[in-house]
Amino acid sequence: MSIRADHLCHLYGEGTAFEQYALKDVSFEIGDGEFVGLIGHTGSGKSTLIQHLNGLLQASSGKIYYNGEDIDGDGYDRRNLRSRVGLVFQYPEHQLFEVDVLSDVCFGPKNQGLSREEAEVRAREALTLVGLEERFWDKSPFELSGGQKRRVAIAGVLAMQPEVLILDEPTAGLDPRGRDEILDEIAALHKDRGMTIVLVSHSMEDIARYADRILVMNHGEKRFDGPPREVFAHYRELEEMGLAAPQITYVVHKLREHGISIPEDITTVEEARDAILELLRPERAKASGRQTWGKAGSGE
Amino acid sequence: MIRDITLGQYYPVDSVLHRMDPRTKLFGTMVFIISLFFAGSLAAYGVATVFLIFVIRLSRVPFGFMVRGLKAILFLLLISVSFNLFLTPGTEVFRLGFLKITWEGLRLAGFMALRLIYLVIGSTVMTLTTTPNQLTDGMERSLGFLKRVRVPVHEISMMMSIALRFIPILVEETDKIMKAQMARGADFESGNLIQKAKNMVPLLVPLFISAFRRATDLAMAMEARCYHGGDGRTKMKPLQYERRDYVGYLVCAGYLAAVVLLG
């Protein structure tokens, strides 16, 4: 199971004065069970890219293969592809339309040809997965809070039981708690169900914490592709693209500038904590013979 | 999918026509439309064609954009042409069963087609070279005299510019919701008419909700900036005639006179 993009190009407004490359020669392969973070500045082509992955947009040139099959090929069942590659758009709560939450979540499974009963089983399962309490299930989706609506919308895609889940900024506009909860649920889907996840996000912290691989897009081109520590090591280039590394990376680099030998490829606060504690162990502090350690230690 | 709507879509290049005062362009468009109803001879249509080509060249907008708007009236065009073609009495040229084509019919159908096509292209030239805001500004100023008879000119033009401003936004929104529902397996293409109408519900409900949400947001934002209607409101860029506008008026008047004289 994999998604492979092969020299993908997408041209907007072909043949007009507005002609513009949204994607330029993008190639990559996403394997089964990966958790990929997709980052890039606004207008870098992220959203265009993910819409190619489930066949909503067609490439101007280049190909996409899902499990080795060309999705633009003749007779390829694109509707079937869309139920296998689930895509949650930005602000997905804007697509809710049914009279109650459960019916809305049933929309996807029913389009897959399931009966109302089967669809409801799937819907209940999906709503439980996103952690929406049962007492909300027969309410109108428009009565819910922003975070709850977002969950309903994500459940609407999960109920189709996709093999790959792509989320475009699933936490935009949520408060920190709602954000953490949703991200933890996504991480759980990855861990417990082995679902392949592609997460588009602006938050480097979130990406660093959850993704095992990062794709960086800039002006429609793929700039970096690798594990977080490798990608964030290029933090100066990232800054030039209007992006940044997680804040802890900057702290680590500052510490190194002051002569403290902390590993430079740290990307999460937890890693940094462990590394600092390691350095602060009394026997090591004595061995290195530096006085500054004691002061830093009292701060910890 | 629905991006073919050209009417109300500004084409950003710098040309004399783009820089012209919207009032002049409104006047010109009106003159052109009126002239089409006066024109009844080949010579008059010839003058109209030359004028139209001259204006299109002046606008520096690619010709392809002008014709795009014609798609929308294709059906209307076909109906009116065939009615004129087959139902006009006169000298017969061609007969196929009960259908007969006459010289008069041919002439009338041809002129009718030209008239409709020129009408659309003529107004498209204006909307391609004038931003919606300029357009409503121009209308507000040109119709200012109606204020004396208590027509709320400012309010109407504000409503129009807001409506125009929201067309591309709603088109984009429709596209987005459509895609989101397609990602959930929705199908907007197949099925019979009733099935198709039913399939629109997942698109229309979110679209209406978002339109209302945007409307309240906008109203709030306007009130927050102390908008209170037209009285005593000044403009950041007041409209002002330049030399090219006077030339424009002269050219338009000359053109109208030529068409009317040629009949």
Side-chain angles (χ1 to χ4, degrees):
Chain A
M1 305 260 178
S2 71
I3 301 177
R4 187 154 67 86
D6 187 24
H7 300 287
L8 203 62
C9 290
H10 190 91
L11 205 57
Y12 270 128
E14 215 165 335
T16 71
F18 311 107
E19 191 175 282
Q20 207 184 358
Y21 269 105
L23 292 177
K24 226 185 212 162
D25 199 26
V26 179
S27 300
F28 58 82
E29 181 161 359
I30 296 173
D32 200 14
E34 273 195 272
F35 195 130
V36 179
L38 182 59
I39 57 178
H41 198 251
T42 316
S44 61
K46 294 170 295 179
S47 298
T48 312
L49 177 61
I50 56 173
Q51 288 177 39
H52 281 83
L53 301 185
N54 74 345
L56 277 175
L57 287 179
Q58 261 176 313
S60 307
S61 67
K63 295 238 185 289
I64 298 204
Y65 299 94
Y66 185 66
N67 298 339
E69 285 178 85
D70 178 5
I71 68 164
D72 287 324
D74 283 335
Y76 190 87
D77 186 355
R78 237 171 278 148
R79 271 185 77 187
N80 180 280
L81 171 74
R82 282 177 202 145
S83 63
R84 296 166 74 183
V85 180
L87 174 57
V88 179
F89 274 85
Q90 218 170 354
Y91 297 102
E93 59 272 26
H94 293 174
Q95 77 205 24
L96 302 175
F97 67 99
E98 271 285 6
V99 282
D100 60 82
V101 168
L102 199 64
S103 314
D104 204 286
V105 179
C106 283
F107 181 68
K110 268 162 70 188
N111 283 330
Q112 286 175 303
L114 297 183
S115 69
R116 172 86 201 179
E117 289 72 35
E118 289 171 301
E120 271 189 26
V121 173
R122 293 255 197 117
R124 283 169 204 283
E125 198 188 342
L127 283 166
T128 317
L129 272 179
V130 297
L132 191 77
E133 291 166 51
E134 202 168 340
R135 65 193 161 99
F136 295 114
W137 292 3
D138 50 9
K139 283 207 169 155
S140 159
F142 304 107
E143 289 169 22
L144 306 181
S145 75
Q148 290 165 337
K149 278 190 205 164
R150 182 84 43 104
R151 278 151 206 265
V152 174
I154 294 175
V157 173
L158 280 180
M160 298 173 75
Q161 301 193 337
E163 294 153 2
V164 179
L165 185 64
I166 305 171
L167 302 111
D168 193 354
E169 304 249 1
T171 57
L174 293 186
D175 55 44
R177 200 170 131 203
R179 190 190 69 201
D180 288 347
E181 282 172 4
I182 284 192
L183 286 174
D184 284 341
E185 279 145 19
I186 294 166
L189 284 172
H190 172 66
K191 216 191 247 157
D192 306 340
R193 312 207 143 206
M195 203 180 267
T196 310
I197 309 272
V198 178
L199 178 69
V200 178
S201 178
H202 267 125
S203 161
M204 302 304 143
E205 274 74 20
D206 293 348
I207 293 275
R209 187 149 55 148
Y210 295 102
D212 354 288
R213 177 177 159 199
I214 299 180
L215 278 177
V216 183
M217 296 290 295
N218 191 37
H219 295 306
E221 289 175 85
K222 188 181 87 173
R223 288 296 299 275
F224 296 111
D225 181 358
R229 57 190 70 247
E230 211 175 289
V231 170
F232 288 135
H234 298 280
Y235 66 102
R236 283 185 214 282
E237 283 115 307
L238 288 175
E239 275 171 15
E240 276 165 31
M241 298 177 213
L243 299 168
Q247 285 173 346
I248 195 69
T249 306
Y250 291 94
V251 174
V252 169
H253 280 273
K254 268 266 151 28
L255 285 173
R256 284 177 64 88
E257 275 171 32
H258 285 84
I260 294 161
S261 59
I262 189 168
E264 74 179 322
D265 58 358
I266 284 172
T267 55
T268 66
V269 177
E270 288 75 21
E271 281 173 13
R273 180 196 60 202
D274 294 345
I276 290 170
L277 283 176
E278 179 68 26
L279 285 171
L280 286 175
R281 286 220 181 114
E283 60 270 29
R284 283 205 55 174
K286 256 181 228 141
S288 70
R290 293 181 82 133
Q291 283 304 304
T292 40
W293 290 120
K295 275 184 198 162
S298 58
E300 250 283 324
Chain B
M1 293 169 208
I2 9 173
R3 306 226 159 145
D4 292 332
I5 313 166
T6 345
L7 220 71
Q9 268 188 5
Y10 181 64
Y11 188 91
V13 280
D14 187 40
S15 77
V16 190
L17 223 54
H18 282 75
R19 271 174 278 140
M20 210 175 243
D21 192 290
R23 286 170 292 178
T24 321
K25 283 185 269 187
L26 274 170
F27 175 78
T29 313
M30 228 163 64
V31 160
F32 186 67
I33 290 171
I34 292 169
S35 77
L36 287 178
F37 287 95
F38 274 112
S41 68
L42 267 178
Y45 275 104
V47 173
T49 311
V50 171
F51 180 71
L52 195 58
I53 289 172
F54 168 68
V55 171
I56 290 173
R57 292 294 296 273
L58 217 57
S59 75
R60 296 176 56 197
V61 180
F63 187 68
F65 271 82
M66 309 281 168
V67 215
R68 226 172 259 193
L70 286 178
K71 261 192 225 160
I73 62 147
L74 196 67
F75 196 58
L76 182 77
L77 202 64
L78 276 179
I79 290 180
S80 61
V81 164
S82 41
F83 266 80
N84 276 302
L85 203 57
F86 296 120
L87 298 178
T88 318
T91 2
E92 203 175 294
V93 202
F94 180 80
R95 191 176 190 106
L96 196 118
F98 64 98
L99 290 174
K100 61 171 181 159
I101 296 172
T102 61
W103 269 123
E104 286 77 2
L106 268 176
R107 194 185 138 92
L108 218 60
F111 281 165
M112 181 61 89
L114 270 183
R115 190 175 287 173
L116 277 171
I117 291 170
Y118 282 13
L119 213 74
V120 170
I121 295 182
S123 33
T124 310
V125 172
M126 183 181 67
T127 49
L128 281 171
T129 57
T130 322
T131 63
N133 276 334
Q134 284 175 336
L135 206 61
T136 44
D137 258 13
M139 279 192 201
E140 189 180 346
R141 275 291 289 277
S142 310
L143 302 175
F145 64 92
L146 286 174
K147 265 186 204 156
R148 294 204 197 110
V149 283
R150 302 208 165 201
V151 178
V153 178
H154 170 78
E155 280 71 15
I156 292 172
S157 79
M158 181 56 92
M159 275 157 64
M160 274 186 58
S161 52
I162 290 173
L164 285 172
R165 175 70 189 79
F166 270 73
I167 289 173
I169 292 179
L170 288 180
V171 167
E172 204 175 292
E173 187 95 13
T174 312
D175 202 48
K176 230 167 68 190
I177 298 170
M178 230 165 158
K179 278 184 183 159
Q181 304 297 27
M182 274 160 77
R184 295 210 276 163
D187 183 5
F188 294 108
E189 272 113 39
S190 48
N192 58 25
L193 206 63
I194 297 170
Q195 197 57 45
K196 263 189 186 164
K198 259 186 167 170
N199 289 347
M200 290 307 256
V201 174
L203 172 64
L204 291 179
V205 173
L207 191 60
F208 268 93
I209 291 169
S210 109
F212 282 122
R213 193 184 52 238
R214 281 179 195 282
T216 32
D217 285 356
L218 180 68
M220 197 83 88
M222 283 168 81
E223 282 203 333
R225 287 191 267 172
C226 303
Y227 177 78
H228 60 84
D231 291 333
R233 190 176 153 83
T234 53
K235 293 236 183 278
M236 188 162 89
K237 291 178 191 155
L239 293 176
Q240 202 157 17
Y241 282 129
E242 308 266 343
R243 231 187 70 200
R244 56 172 169 267
D245 296 302
Y246 299 117
V247 175
Y249 274 115
L250 272 177
V251 171
C252 288
Y255 160 74
L256 187 62
V259 171
V260 171
L261 281 178
L262 289 167

